[in-house]
Amino acid sequence: MFSENYSRQTALASLKDMDENLSDQELVQFARSDEAMIRAAAAAHPKTPLTILLKLTRDESATVRAGLARNPRPDMPEDIYIDLATDRTPEVVYALIANPQVPDAIIAKLARKFGKEYSSAARERLSSKGGAAKVFGKLGIAAG
């Protein structure tokens, strides 16, 4: 009756409207989707269970790992950030740099990788704080 494309569109529409009322079970279902964009949205959602987020660090899709790197969850284990910081895909690392929840120490390590295209973005994030952090950030050092 409904095409496979219909169910994908329905799931994507649900994810675009993701609100705080999604249940853990719904988020787990989204995280297990065949569609990378749906898994990425689940990875970026702050209420997705940590056990699922840990699994998504190894997802084959860089889009999913980038979604995880953008996750604003305040209690994200630092090990996830460390793992994502070593990702070979710049999209993932840029998403990590843009996430204010990621500790400055991890960003500073990225800033010191002078041969990498994202190192200047990491230094910019550190230096955007002003004061001593601005000076240290230009050098790729986390202040404090």
Side-chain angles (χ1 to χ4, degrees), residues 24-106:
D24 284 355
Q25 186 173 357
E26 290 170 316
L27 288 164
V28 168
Q29 285 179 311
F30 288 142
R32 292 181 178 156
S33 172
D34 290 336
E35 295 295 318
M37 293 301 291
I38 294 172
R39 293 193 314 275
H45 196 280
K47 299 287 185 173
T48 299
L50 281 174
T51 54
I52 298 301
L53 296 178
L54 288 168
K55 290 178 184 178
L56 292 174
T57 61
R58 301 283 180 228
D59 196 280
E60 64 188 28
S61 171
T63 302
V64 174
R65 296 189 311 275
L68 179 58
R70 282 189 285 278
N71 190 312
R73 187 182 187 118
D75 65 341
M76 183 77 76
E78 196 168 302
D79 289 346
I80 290 178
Y81 294 139
I82 292 168
D83 195 34
L84 293 170
T86 63
D87 201 285
R88 295 182 188 264
T89 307
E91 171 190 3
V92 175
V93 180
Y94 278 117
L96 195 66
I97 292 167
N99 185 344
Q101 293 295 332
V102 178
D104 286 348
I106 293 172

